[in-house]
Amino acid sequence: QVQLVESGGGLAQAGGSLRLSCAASGIIIRINEMGWYRQAPGKQRELVATITSGGSTNYSDSVKGRFTISRDNAKNTVYLQMSSLKPEDTAVYYCNAEVKTPVYSNPRNYWGKGTLVTVSE
């Protein structure tokens, strides 16, 4: 079984910064794409950023230029550096990873339980 555990959420002021981390654990053969998604109250979950195993990144327009996604393949960990935070960034942030394990023939998607980020005015 694969577990994704997020950390680093909390309260920040507008214009401030936070860094999220997400570590994958379990019997892992390979992790393909990793990413961060968020869900604000009353809204659907949306993509924030993704990163491939080779380091190619993709960002939503709303965070481009403010957030940076990175990963440490040796540690099976993905990070999200968030800067110039805005109140509209307030949401629960979820980690996602496509993971190949010995149990299944194809990689499967796994989700963390989420970490709350609150940005005040």
Side-chain angles (χ1 to χ4, degrees):
Q1 181 72 347
V2 173
Q3 286 190 322
L4 302 181
V5 179
E6 302 103 334
S7 61
L11 179 64
Q13 288 189 325
S17 299
L18 283 174
R19 189 190 194 213
L20 306 183
S21 300
C22 171
S25 62
I27 303 176
I28 295 170
I29 293 175
R30 183 183 70 252
I31 301 179
N32 296 331
E33 187 172 274
M34 302 185 82
W36 290 95
Y37 292 73
R38 68 186 182 186
Q39 187 167 18
K43 295 188 176 181
Q44 290 188 329
R45 191 173 298 188
E46 64 176 3
L47 167 74
V48 175
T50 60
I51 184 168
T52 67
S53 57
S56 296
T57 58
N58 178 55
Y59 296 92
S60 69
D61 288 342
S62 61
V63 306
K64 203 171 291 183
R66 301 188 297 120
F67 291 8
T68 302
I69 189 170
S70 61
R71 64 190 280 175
D72 185 332
N73 290 331
K75 295 181 179 180
N76 291 333
T77 299
V78 63
Y79 306 95
L80 185 69
Q81 178 66 47
M82 304 185 293
S83 302
S84 301
L85 284 164
K86 303 176 181 180
E88 51 262 44
D89 294 319
T90 295
V92 177
Y93 284 70
Y94 296 92
C95 175
N96 173 268
E98 186 183 73
V99 183
K100 177 70 178 76
T101 69
V103 177
Y104 303 106
S105 56
N106 295 319
R108 288 200 169 193
N109 256 301
Y110 294 87
W111 291 91
K113 293 183 177 181
T115 185
L116 177 62
V117 171
T118 303
V119 183
S120 62
E121 297 277 359

